[in-house]
Amino acid sequence: QVQLVQFGAEVKKPGASVKVSCKTSGYTFTSYDIHWVRQATGQGLEWMGWMNPKSGNTGYAQKFQGRLTITRNTFISTAYMELRSLRFEDTAVYYCARRIPCGADCYSFDSWGQGALVTVSS
Amino acid sequence: SYVLTQPPSVSVAPGLTARITCGGNNIGSKSVHWYQQKPGQAPVLVVYDDSDRPSGIPGRFSGSNSGNTATLTISRVEAGDEADYYCQVWDSNTDQGVFGGGTKLTVL
């Protein structure tokens, strides 16, 4: 079965960077885009960016341009999200999600990781 | 950027029908997806492409989309349906994902 596994929690100081991993299994890693979504405590879902694991092409929400990098290691079917220059307001649960096609100009997030909590604290 | 608007909360008694709306400019021209999120858990896709259900999702969940409003309908609501629900589209103009603000469904 399709699985996206994210490990643990991180505590970082303001200004630091964090790199969150998303290990996939149960499907061909290079066949579907991986997206990253975050959720601050008590808040809604916020889309951050995407990566095509086959080509390495990426796209980022305007809000995160210059601070966010999404990469991958195809040998271990793992995607990574690195966020730099962390701020207190970056404290959130970070999810990876697989995006699949569902028709013409239709894509949905059918599988999600369990999330990784990143806390930014001095 | 494209904005999706959801009511913050919807309440319904067990056995009745809940309707959660998602408003957006000409949203009827887009494919709308709905996710259910229970406390402490990752979101789960419950409706995709306006009205289709992934395998394993009960037939009580259905969706529609027309004009400026998409709607998630949950029939014969059960206590286990209590959760936050998010609508989502892909904004092809900016090539970015967009989520609605979420609706908390309370089963009375």
Side-chain angles (χ1 to χ4, degrees), chain A residues 35 37 39 43-47 50 59-63 65 95 99-100 102-110 112-115, chain B residues 29-31 33 35 37 40-45 47-49 52 84 86 88-90 92 94-102:
Chain A
H35 290 239
V37 176
Q39 185 173 38
Q43 302 301 309
L45 302 173
E46 180 177 28
W47 182 84
W50 64 272
Y60 305 122
Q62 184 82 14
K63 174 177 181 176
Q65 291 278 358
Y95 294 100
R99 190 183 80 156
I100 63 167
C102 49
D105 199 26
C106 173
Y107 301 90
S108 63
F109 302 127
D110 76 320
W112 295 66
Q114 77 272 32
Chain B
S29 67
K30 299 182 181 296
S31 291
H33 318 298
Y35 302 88
Q37 186 181 36
Q41 298 183 20
V44 172
L45 180 67
V47 167
Y48 68 93
D49 197 13
D52 291 330
D84 294 325
Y86 295 90
Q88 180 257 318
V89 301
W90 188 258
S92 54
T94 58
D95 210 22
Q96 298 189 3
V98 181
F99 286 96

Side-chain angles (χ1 to χ4, degrees), chain A residues 36-109:
Chain A
W36 290 86
V37 176
R38 77 177 185 179
Q39 185 173 38
T41 302
Q43 302 301 309
L45 302 173
E46 180 177 28
W47 182 84
M48 299 179 70
W50 64 272
M51 178 197 60
N52 180 309
K54 185 172 185 178
S55 64
N57 289 345
T58 56
Y60 305 122
Q62 184 82 14
K63 174 177 181 176
F64 300 103
Q65 291 278 358
R67 283 209 303 145
L68 175 62
T69 302
I70 301 173
T71 56
R72 89 287 195 210
N73 182 330
T74 56
F75 297 104
I76 56 172
S77 301
T78 299
Y80 303 94
M81 184 283 301
E82 182 179 29
L83 190 61
R84 299 176 294 278
S85 301
L86 289 169
R87 310 159 184 164
F88 294 118
E89 55 266 34
D90 292 319
T91 295
V93 175
Y94 289 77
Y95 294 100
C96 58
R98 184 180 81 158
R99 190 183 80 156
I100 63 167
C102 49
D105 199 26
C106 173
Y107 301 90
S108 63
F109 302 127

